[in-house]
Each structure stands twice: as C-alpha cells, then as structure tokens.
Amino acid sequence: MEVLTKYLNLRTKGELDMIDITESVAKAISETSIRNGIVTIFVPGSTGALTTIEYEPGLLKDFPEMLERIAPKNINYEHEKTWHDHNGHSHVRASLIGPSLTIPFKDKRLTLGTWQQVVFIELDIHSRTREIVLQIIGE
Amino acid sequence: MEVLTKYLNLRTKGELDMIDITESVAKAISETSIRNGIVTIFVPGSTGALTTIEYEPGLLKDFPEMLERIAPKNINYEHEKTWHDHNGHSHVRASLIGPSLTIPFKDKRLTLGTWQQVVFIELDIHSRTREIVLQIIGE
Amino acid sequence: MEVLTKYLNLRTKGELDMIDITESVAKAISETSIRNGIVTIFVPGSTGALTTIEYEPGLLKDFPEMLERIAPKNINYEHEKTWHDHNGHSHVRASLIGPSLTIPFKDKRLTLGTWQQVVFIELDIHSRTREIVLQIIGE
C-alpha cells in the first residue's frame, strides 16, 4: 500500500468555467505504480467545486442555470457586507456542491461510466489559477 | 492493508426510485477480511447518485420534491437540443448530489446512525440496470 | 499504512448552527504517526452534514438562506405525517449536502486553502450532541 500526492494546475477562464480533468487524473494514476485504489481529488479554496457530469455543451449551460436558481448572483449576500468582493453566491454554490470527490480505480482505470467526466467548476467571478490535489492511495 | 473491489448489481424501477443498499454494502464488507477502513461507493454513469437518508416512505417523496424545485422536469434544457433524450434534469440533479460516497467502518461495522441508510437514487427517466462499485480499503 | 479511528464530540446550539471543526480535525491527525493520507469525516445521523466554507459571519447566514430556498421550513413534508417531529426539511437538506467529506493531508497538514474551513452543519431543529467519526488512513 502506498500514498502518493499529485497536483493539477489549471487556469480557469472565468465564472462557471467547467474544466474536464478526467484525462489529467487518469494520467496521474498511470504515472504511479499503484494498480488498485482510490483517488481523492480536492480543491483547496472555497469558491471552486468538483463533480462528475456528461461533458457536452448543453449540460455546461444547464448545470450553471440550476446554480443560478438556487443561489442567484443578483440578490443580497451578507458576505458582501464584510468583503465587498461580489462573490457571496460563489461561496454558497461551492459549499453545496463540495470540494472533494473520491473515485475508485481498478487495474489502473478509473471506474467512470462512458459518458461521465470529472469536472472542476470555477465558481469565483473571475479567471483564476487553481492547484487541485490528487491523493492516490492503493497497492 | 488491502484494497478489494466489489460490485452491487441493481435493477431500478424508474425515475426517482431510491434503493436502500445499506445491507448490501455491509454484507460486502463482512465477506472480506478487512476489519477497519473505508468503503468508497461509486456510481459509474451520469444520471445516478448516492447519499444517506432516513429510509421511510415520507422522505422518499420529500427528497424528490426538493429535486423538482431545483431542477424541474418540465423546463427547457440545452442538453435536449443535442440528445433528445428528455433527461437534462436527470443529469443536473445527479451532478449536484454527486456520484461518490465514502463511509468509514470499524470492527466490520459501518459507522452509520440508527436512522441513516445508504441509498442509490435513479435519476434517469426510466428503469435501468446499474452496477455500483464498492472500493474497500483497510486492514 | 495504517487506519486510525478518532471521534469529535460536539454540542450544537440549534438549527443551522455551523461549527468550525478544522482545528479539531488537524489536531486528531497530529496525534497520530501518519504523515500522508486522507481523513474521511463522517456524520452518523440523517440530520447533520459536512462541507467546507469560508468561515465568516456573512456566509453563516447566506448558506442557510440558500437552504431555505431549496427546502423551506414551512411547507408540507410527507415525513411529518409519519413522525410529527417537524424536521422533514432537515432531512432533505442533510441528504443533499451529504454526510461525508474526505480531505487529503501531506506532511501532517490538511490540504485546505487559507480561507477554507471544515464545518459541521446542524440541520435538526434543536440543539443536539453529535459524535463525528474521523477515519484516518495513510502512512
């Protein structure tokens, strides 16, 4: 059994950019000698999130529209009163989706479905650089 | 330390079927020689999800009603324009709830509360067969 | 490789109390001899949840307001018909946010961002005692 830490460095294009990181995660696993285990993908930061989705242009609009229904951009947020950075909705959305995703792999392959991709979602209101942590555990 | 992969095969009854898989997960752990560890339960596919809930008939209606508020079935989804499969809302709901759930176990027992069950939620619009992955890690 | 189980005992102040458990989780890891690994934090029970958030007074109001939009307290819940305990909305909210959070640590430090704290969210309608499970795996 072994634990290995890898990092993915991303440059997001701005609010609601959804980046397909499936191949990068698969590559990180392939570069280790671990055959079977889990990878915990984690976002350090409180305005980004991770999930899986069928990565096609329609859903890249539909998912953000759902976020706009549950945490609209143009309502008042108490967060704004302290920080004046206009991203109260970003924080609320990120905390609901969550910063962590754990995926099994077997014989070096992630157990994803064919139409299921791993995505990082930029929820902050501008382009950012992000360093995602991959903690790979297995044997 | 060891890693073992098990599978649960389910036949769902249709949209919003919530299946209690607690006993199946517990049984999978009991069949291994691992006493203490974690199980990562994972749905391959982008229209199913996992969480825990008190499994009683009322909540099996209340939880879907919440999903209908945040991602209604009868609004327009961009996903539909590409795929014409009427399940844009299914994808959006699945990505929000998430495809992965990690639960500790100690002395071979899942650390669940008494009124807390592990459920697979079918979010696609028809009955499907599902193969859920259980990655069991521990010693 | 090793697996160690620790517990956090909390006393919540009532509905929507959000408790910053970051330091307690960090302390639990520091008390072990494990340097690199993951900690799975888990809530036994179906009316509590875990996530990360920037722990500042504004967001401690904004996040609950989002929950009130998606699962309002004062609508009818089927759960109520069976149990008469007035917490149908608590269950629905808890199942959406989720009971489990897995965070990597490296050189004994959680890989959190500077403005990102781990929170337990009390979703039940009154003050409760809670025992949170920390399953620490690594080497």
Side-chain angles (χ1 to χ4, degrees):
Chain A
M1 288 287 291
E2 227 180 328
V3 182
L4 289 168
T5 311
K6 301 257 185 177
Y7 301 93
L8 296 186
N9 289 285
L10 305 176
R11 175 86 199 170
T12 66
K13 286 180 191 157
E15 185 162 19
L16 295 168
D17 189 15
M18 295 171 73
I19 300 182
D20 180 356
I21 61 171
T22 315
E23 285 312 306
S24 304
V25 176
K27 186 164 174 288
I29 292 167
S30 74
E31 289 166 357
T32 73
S33 59
I34 304 176
R35 288 196 66 78
N36 300 309
I38 54 175
V39 54
T40 295
I41 313 171
F42 190 83
V43 185
S46 50
T47 54
L50 293 161
T51 189
T52 64
I53 201 164
E54 183 183 337
Y55 197 82
E56 60 84 18
L59 288 171
L60 301 192
K61 293 178 188 160
D62 294 327
F63 191 76
E65 275 179 28
M66 181 273 298
L67 295 176
E68 180 63 23
R69 281 192 295 275
I70 65 182
K73 190 164 179 163
N74 293 316
I75 61 173
N76 289 323
Y77 288 90
E78 294 293 319
H79 178 68
E80 184 60 14
K81 296 186 182 166
T82 313
W83 295 105
H84 312 289
D85 52 4
H86 311 291
N87 70 354
H89 63 291
S90 311
H91 285 278
V92 168
R93 294 170 181 189
S95 293
L96 184 63
I97 306 169
S100 182
L101 184 65
T102 299
I103 308 179
F105 57 94
K106 188 166 165 65
D107 298 328
K108 296 209 155 236
R109 291 172 62 101
L110 293 164
T111 63
L112 293 165
T114 312
W115 310 105
Q116 180 183 31
Q117 282 74 42
V118 185
V119 284
F120 172 77
I121 310 175
E122 178 61 78
L123 295 160
D124 211 344
I125 56 173
H126 48 73
S127 169
R128 292 187 58 163
T129 55
R130 296 285 191 176
E131 187 176 69
I132 310 299
V133 181
L134 308 182
Q135 195 76 316
I136 305 168
I137 298 191
E139 66 186 7
Chain B
M1 289 288 290
E2 227 180 328
V3 182
L4 289 168
T5 311
K6 301 256 185 177
Y7 301 93
L8 295 186
N9 289 286
L10 305 177
R11 174 86 198 170
T12 66
K13 287 181 190 156
E15 185 161 20
L16 296 167
D17 189 14
M18 295 171 73
I19 300 181
D20 180 357
I21 61 171
T22 315
E23 285 313 306
S24 304
V25 175
K27 185 164 175 286
I29 292 167
S30 74
E31 289 167 358
T32 72
S33 58
I34 304 176
R35 288 196 66 77
N36 300 309
I38 54 174
V39 54
T40 294
I41 314 170
F42 191 82
V43 185
S46 51
T47 54
L50 292 161
T51 189
T52 64
I53 201 162
E54 182 183 337
Y55 197 81
E56 60 84 19
L59 288 171
L60 301 192
K61 292 178 188 160
D62 294 327
F63 191 76
E65 274 179 29
M66 181 272 297
L67 295 177
E68 181 61 24
R69 282 193 294 277
I70 65 183
K73 190 164 179 164
N74 293 315
I75 60 173
N76 289 323
Y77 288 90
E78 293 293 318
H79 178 67
E80 183 60 14
K81 295 186 182 166
T82 313
W83 295 105
H84 312 289
D85 52 4
H86 310 291
N87 71 355
H89 64 291
S90 310
H91 286 278
V92 168
R93 295 169 179 189
S95 293
L96 184 63
I97 305 170
S100 181
L101 184 65
T102 299
I103 308 179
F105 58 93
K106 188 166 165 66
D107 298 328
K108 296 208 157 237
R109 290 172 62 101
L110 292 164
T111 64
L112 293 165
T114 312
W115 310 106
Q116 180 183 31
Q117 281 75 42
V118 185
V119 284
F120 172 77
I121 310 173
E122 178 60 77
L123 294 160
D124 211 344
I125 55 172
H126 48 74
S127 170
R128 292 186 57 163
T129 56
R130 297 286 190 176
E131 187 176 70
I132 310 298
V133 180
L134 307 182
Q135 194 76 315
I136 305 168
I137 298 190
E139 65 186 5
Chain C
M1 290 287 291
E2 227 180 327
V3 182
L4 288 168
T5 310
K6 301 256 186 178
Y7 301 92
L8 296 185
N9 289 285
L10 306 176
R11 174 87 198 170
T12 66
K13 287 181 191 156
E15 184 161 20
L16 295 168
D17 189 14
M18 294 171 73
I19 300 181
D20 180 356
I21 61 172
T22 314
E23 286 312 307
S24 304
V25 175
K27 186 163 174 288
I29 292 167
S30 75
E31 289 167 359
T32 73
S33 58
I34 304 176
R35 288 197 67 77
N36 299 309
I38 54 175
V39 54
T40 294
I41 313 170
F42 190 83
V43 185
S46 49
T47 54
L50 292 161
T51 189
T52 65
I53 200 162
E54 183 184 338
Y55 197 82
E56 59 84 19
L59 289 172
L60 301 192
K61 293 178 189 161
D62 295 328
F63 191 76
E65 275 180 28
M66 180 273 297
L67 295 176
E68 181 61 25
R69 281 193 294 276
I70 64 182
K73 191 164 178 162
N74 293 316
I75 61 173
N76 289 324
Y77 288 90
E78 294 293 319
H79 178 67
E80 184 60 12
K81 295 187 183 166
T82 313
W83 296 102
H84 311 289
D85 51 3
H86 310 292
N87 71 354
H89 63 291
S90 311
H91 285 278
V92 168
R93 294 169 180 189
S95 293
L96 185 63
I97 305 169
S100 182
L101 184 64
T102 299
I103 308 179
F105 58 95
K106 187 166 166 66
D107 297 328
K108 296 209 157 239
R109 291 172 62 99
L110 292 164
T111 64
L112 292 164
T114 312
W115 311 105
Q116 181 183 31
Q117 282 74 43
V118 185
V119 284
F120 172 77
I121 311 173
E122 178 60 78
L123 294 160
D124 211 344
I125 55 173
H126 48 74
S127 169
R128 292 187 55 165
T129 55
R130 296 285 190 176
E131 187 176 69
I132 310 298
V133 181
L134 308 181
Q135 194 78 313
I136 305 168
I137 299 191
E139 64 186 7

